[in-house]
Amino acid sequence: METENSTVVTEFVLLGLTQSQDAQLLVFVLVLIFYLIILPGNFLIIFTIRSDPGLNAPLYFFLGNLAFLDASYSFIVAPRMLVDFFSEKKIISYRCCITQLFFLHFLGVGEMFLLVVMAFDRYTAICRPLHYSTIMNSRVCYAFLLALWVGGFAHSIVQVALILHLPFCGPNQLDNFFCDVPQVIKLACTDTFVVELLMVSNSGLLTVLCFLGLLSSYAIILCRVQGQSSEGKKKAVSTCTTHIIIVFLMFGPAIFIYTRPFRAFPADKVVALFHTVIFPLMNPVIYTLRNREVKASMRKLLSQCSIC
């Protein structure tokens, strides 16, 4: 803290994931192994899609962007968390905290919007196959991509703007391993009831609406494929199942965190760990493992690299 005319918080102390040294060591090893294995896999997915001319359909274009978003998202929290395991006092400056919060919501909401776009892509491909190439042309794909980036930026700016107007004069201990709205807002030296309602309506309502919209769209798709041939039905069901798994992995923790009053629950930190570190890295891998074309292209790419 810094003292001028009044006491103003210029840094926060992160209490971390757990106070147990043994538990910290276990989590550090598991997260590091997971991070070092899955993160290169995400970059391999991006490189495979970019290098194979056969993977030029909108589905693969969006999958590559999902892998990029998830890899970028994992850099916001995980590296600092791993370093903080060895720090006796985990300190983050006010500016770094706001920056972390901004990118957390910027990329997180961008990914939510991307999943909505991918659901629309699958709906068009399965329910309107004759018009698919006309509707999902390259110009539309890039327009969707621009829209999700702009939407994520606008959402994150609102979050940060509301935080910046709050006075922080102490205490400065954040009961978490990273900066996020629910924890930061508790430390404000003013009544935050209205701000909490705005935060919940902004993040929570948006998350729930996207979640319900996605589930509804996939339910419609599954109903429409009932009359198709067995091969087409099998492929459509497989694709939709993969998307639904990702939707639950992405939106389940987000709904738990952002759609309830800002009260602390014992499971908060564990849910936050999966939401910010584990699940983002897994999403593209789950898509890839259930996609024969990407797996075949990846094996071909790896075999070429081994020959070289």
Side-chain angles (χ1 to χ4, degrees):
M1 294 189 201
E2 215 171 66
T3 304
E4 299 175 351
N5 295 332
S6 60
T7 303
V8 179
V9 170
T10 59
E11 63 185 26
F12 294 108
V13 177
L14 302 173
L15 297 183
L17 187 63
T18 175
Q19 300 302 312
S20 169
Q21 293 294 326
D22 293 336
Q24 285 192 33
L25 180 61
L26 176 62
V27 173
F28 172 80
V29 172
L30 292 176
V31 171
L32 182 62
I33 293 173
F34 184 84
Y35 201 67
L36 293 178
I37 293 175
I38 303 297
L39 185 61
N42 278 4
F43 288 117
L44 178 61
I45 293 169
I46 297 171
F47 186 70
T48 300
I49 293 173
R50 296 278 296 178
S51 61
D52 191 342
L55 300 178
N56 59 357
L59 173 65
Y60 305 116
F61 172 75
F62 293 130
L63 177 58
N65 281 279
L66 178 67
F68 174 77
L69 270 174
D70 279 327
S72 302
Y73 191 82
S74 68
F75 280 115
I76 300 172
V77 174
R80 183 183 183 91
M81 183 187 71
L82 292 172
V83 172
D84 281 346
F85 277 126
F86 297 99
S87 303
E88 187 173 334
K89 197 172 184 181
K90 306 167 180 61
I91 295 175
I92 184 170
S93 69
Y94 176 81
R95 290 184 178 180
C96 288
C97 181
I98 296 300
T99 302
Q100 186 180 63
L101 188 151
F102 170 80
F103 282 105
L104 194 71
H105 285 265
F106 176 38
L107 297 177
V109 171
E111 182 175 349
M112 283 200 313
F113 289 157
L114 179 57
L115 292 177
V116 173
V117 171
M118 293 177 76
F120 177 76
D121 171 71
R122 290 300 86 203
Y123 171 82
T124 308
I126 295 171
C127 299
R128 303 189 64 186
L130 298 179
H131 301 91
Y132 179 70
S133 58
T134 304
I135 297 173
M136 296 301 296
N137 58 58
S138 59
R139 182 179 297 180
V140 171
C141 290
Y142 280 107
F144 276 137
L145 192 64
L146 176 62
L148 69 89
W149 281 105
V150 172
F153 180 81
H155 165 81
S156 192
I157 282 293
V158 171
Q159 298 287 301
V160 171
L162 291 173
I163 291 289
L164 289 176
H165 282 86
L166 295 175
F168 294 94
C169 53
N172 67 335
Q173 290 187 332
L174 281 173
D175 189 18
N176 213 334
F177 56 94
F178 68 102
C179 285
D180 200 5
V181 175
Q183 290 77 36
V184 174
I185 201 173
K186 289 178 186 176
L187 303 182
C189 303
T190 186
D191 182 15
T192 59
F193 178 76
V194 175
V195 179
E196 288 180 14
L197 288 181
L198 291 173
M199 294 289 183
V200 170
S201 63
N202 190 357
S203 296
L205 185 61
L206 180 65
T207 303
V208 170
L209 289 177
C210 288
F211 178 70
L212 294 177
L214 285 167
L215 290 185
S216 300
S217 66
Y218 287 121
I220 293 171
I221 292 172
L222 291 174
C223 289
R224 292 288 296 271
V225 299
Q226 294 301 316
Q228 294 185 3
S229 64
S230 58
E231 183 62 29
K233 180 179 176 180
K234 183 179 178 181
K235 186 174 182 180
V237 169
S238 176
T239 302
C240 289
T241 301
T242 305
H243 286 223
I244 292 170
I245 291 171
I246 300 300
V247 166
F248 275 98
L249 291 180
M250 173 71 186
F251 286 89
I255 290 173
F256 179 83
I257 294 170
Y258 298 113
T259 59
R260 56 181 171 79
F262 292 153
R263 296 181 299 164
F265 284 93
D268 281 355
K269 292 183 181 181
V270 177
V271 173
L273 175 66
F274 279 92
H275 181 57
T276 57
V277 180
I278 307 298
F279 289 157
L281 292 172
M282 287 177 61
N283 290 347
V285 176
I286 293 172
Y287 271 116
T288 303
L289 291 177
R290 296 180 63 91
N291 189 292
R292 287 177 296 178
E293 290 81 3
V294 177
K295 285 193 293 185
S297 181
M298 198 175 291
R299 282 193 293 267
K300 181 180 177 182
L301 180 65
L302 290 175
S303 64
Q304 289 175 348
C305 292
S306 63
I307 294 174
C308 294

